[in-house]
Amino acid sequence: MYFLVDSSWSMGEENFEHVRHFLYSLIQSLHQVGGDRFKFALVQYNSKPQTEFLLNGYPTTQGVLAHIKTMSYRGGGTRTGLGLNFLIHTHLSAASGSRAADGAAQVVVVLTDGRSQDDVVEPAQVLRLAGVEMFAVGVQDAVDSELRDMASQPHDTHVFSVDSFLILRDIIQELVVGICGAVTQSGGAPVANEAPVAGGGTAQDSADLVLLIDGSLNVGAANFPVVRDLVLRIIESLDVGRDAVRVALALYNSNPDIKFYLNSFDSKSSVLDAVKGLTYAGGDESNLGLALEEVAESLLSETAGGRADEGVPQMLVVISAGPSTDDTGAGDRALKRAGVITIGMPIGDTAAADLEAVATDRSFVLSAPDFRAVASMGDQLLPYIHGVIQRTIIVHNEFTEGM
């Protein structure tokens, strides 16, 4: 992992502090996923690039994190192309710690807040042709076309853009997913540890998945089949089984209605048949809070087939089409205490606020503007679900160290 970080005058000392927090939390998250399989290097660039540390500069990630906490802001111009060339000539070698010859994936993350004063196309192309996965993160005045010129394809997983330095932290989890996905595709799986589970397999590529679906008048009888079809597409893509992905499902209106538990079925075909048999219930109330409490108390327990004690990750996908008619606080707190990863899919504008509050991270809220858009939401949801299954998504702890 090579970080190329803009430290030009346009950034300023205060914003550079946000950059340090972002780098610290991102590296911490990557280390949690992959342990010592990740090695890190960092270059600050402005009018003249400067190495902060090489891949072989620190034997442990703690040394890297300690360096970032004390790293100083430099100032200068914005010569991103020069920074990329500096990486090519100074860092991408065995002497600097590169393990490319051993088959290790090479990943570059460029962070910039403005237009480059020199050409980025040629050096970025050199890196991509060398098999380097290029990620571009733009803040404030960064130019979208320039980010795309640097980044690898597909751009929707390699280009990130935020309006301010304050919200850099909101893209950390999504960036971790993208990086780990790229590393895995290149053959360098980032996960370091596999926990044993019952059945002689490992906890790898397994999860407990609960689907919680708004069955009230918010959805309506005409739209309920659209939501049901989305659930079918999600399950179709999963390796459902006793030692792989277990699935539970509940509808909710005034009360939660559990349709099946994690241990109700052992085969994908049985789960799909149960989903195909779902019918619209209706009801004026949409008590998401009560439903979340039911999930925490009943659907993820060991007796219901939950495997949290075996190290298997647990996740909840909430599909809602309107605001909750009760308070979601107690259920939300119970799920977060249990380490459940919650993904929200609000349909329309009125459901978004509640799901942003209960989701594990704001980037885990994937909105559909209306029911016509629901059919295409599977493509957005599945990378998150597969990320949990494959351990490239973990519960992210906020940055708390004093700096």
Side-chain angles (χ1 to χ4, degrees):
M1 286 289 312
Y2 305 90
F3 295 100
L4 183 62
V5 179
D6 185 349
S7 63
S8 56
W9 292 127
S10 59
M11 182 173 294
E13 185 73 54
E14 183 179 344
N15 287 330
F16 190 73
E17 183 78 1
H18 293 304
V19 171
R20 290 201 295 117
H21 280 240
F22 168 74
L23 291 168
Y24 191 106
S25 296
L26 177 58
I27 289 171
Q28 199 173 44
S29 292
L30 288 167
H31 179 70
Q32 286 174 328
V33 173
D36 291 333
R37 294 191 185 186
F38 279 112
K39 300 295 182 186
F40 303 99
L42 193 148
V43 171
Q44 280 198 55
Y45 76 92
N46 36 57
S47 305
K48 181 181 179 183
Q50 180 165 329
T51 297
E52 288 291 335
F53 48 86
L54 298 167
L55 289 172
N56 54 10
Y58 291 103
T60 67
T61 303
Q62 288 307 117
V64 170
L65 295 174
H67 185 118
I68 287 171
K69 287 170 75 169
T70 60
M71 184 172 66
S72 60
Y73 168 62
R74 300 188 184 282
T78 308
R79 299 191 63 188
T80 313
L82 183 65
L84 291 167
N85 274 312
F86 181 80
L87 265 183
I88 293 167
H89 296 296
T90 308
H91 281 259
L92 294 174
S93 66
S96 297
S98 170
R99 297 171 292 166
D102 300 326
Q106 309 288 291
V107 180
V108 170
V109 176
V110 183
L111 188 150
T112 181
D113 78 330
R115 183 185 293 275
S116 178
Q117 295 165 338
D118 59 3
D119 176 58
V120 302
V121 175
E122 186 177 341
Q125 187 176 26
V126 169
L127 286 161
R128 291 195 304 271
L129 288 173
V132 178
E133 286 284 339
M134 298 289 294
F135 290 82
V137 178
V139 192
Q140 288 187 170
D141 298 323
V143 180
D144 186 64
S145 60
E146 197 169 83
L147 299 176
R148 290 171 175 267
D149 284 340
M150 291 187 284
S152 299
Q153 294 277 7
H155 286 152
D156 59 353
T157 58
H158 288 79
V159 176
F160 297 82
S161 188
V162 295
D163 294 332
S164 82
F165 288 90
L166 280 168
I167 55 175
L168 267 174
R169 62 188 180 89
D170 292 344
I171 66 166
I172 288 173
Q173 197 71 68
E174 196 175 351
L175 184 53
V176 168
V177 173
I179 291 169
C180 291
V183 170
T184 302
Q185 284 186 1
S186 73
V191 179
N193 300 308
E194 297 187 347
V197 296
T202 69
Q204 211 50 48
D205 292 346
S206 61
D208 295 336
L209 168 63
V210 175
L211 298 159
L212 182 61
I213 302 166
D214 187 345
S216 71
L217 287 172
N218 291 333
V219 172
N223 294 315
F224 186 77
V226 176
V227 177
R228 184 176 57 205
D229 287 347
L230 172 65
V231 172
L232 287 170
R233 280 194 293 276
I234 290 170
I235 295 169
E236 278 282 10
S237 76
L238 305 177
D239 179 16
V240 177
R242 178 179 293 276
D243 298 322
V245 180
R246 296 183 183 180
V247 182
L249 187 144
L251 302 178
Y252 70 95
N253 40 42
S254 57
N255 291 293
D257 180 12
I258 297 172
K259 294 300 182 181
F260 52 88
Y261 293 88
L262 292 167
N263 55 4
S264 293
F265 306 111
D266 286 339
S267 70
K268 182 190 292 189
S269 59
S270 299
V271 173
L272 290 171
D273 286 344
V275 174
K276 288 172 186 174
L278 293 176
T279 56
Y280 172 67
D284 294 334
E285 292 187 331
S286 175
N287 289 330
L288 175 59
L290 191 61
L292 293 174
E293 291 178 47
E294 183 72 10
V295 171
E297 292 171 12
S298 304
L299 277 173
L300 292 167
S301 66
E302 186 177 355
T303 54
R307 295 168 290 172
D309 289 346
E310 299 170 18
V312 175
Q314 297 190 310
M315 66 178 134
L316 168 67
V317 174
V318 184
I319 302 174
S320 171
S324 178
T325 48
D326 66 349
D327 182 66
T328 60
D332 175 40
R333 288 190 294 274
L335 290 166
K336 284 186 168 69
R337 277 197 303 271
V340 177
I341 297 172
T342 302
I343 301 165
M345 198 194 97
I347 304 168
D349 296 333
T350 58
D354 285 325
L355 295 194
E356 285 176 3
V358 303
T360 296
D361 186 271
R362 282 176 61 187
S363 67
F364 284 39
V365 179
L366 309 172
S367 300
D370 52 44
F371 283 95
R372 287 172 297 180
V374 168
S376 64
M377 289 305 296
D379 291 339
Q380 294 186 46
L381 279 167
L382 284 170
Y384 288 81
I385 293 171
H386 286 296
V388 175
I389 293 167
Q390 296 164 3
R391 311 303 194 271
T392 56
I393 288 181
I394 54 173
V395 176
H396 173 65
N397 295 316
E398 289 292 335
F399 180 96
T400 55
E401 282 78 357
M403 296 184 60

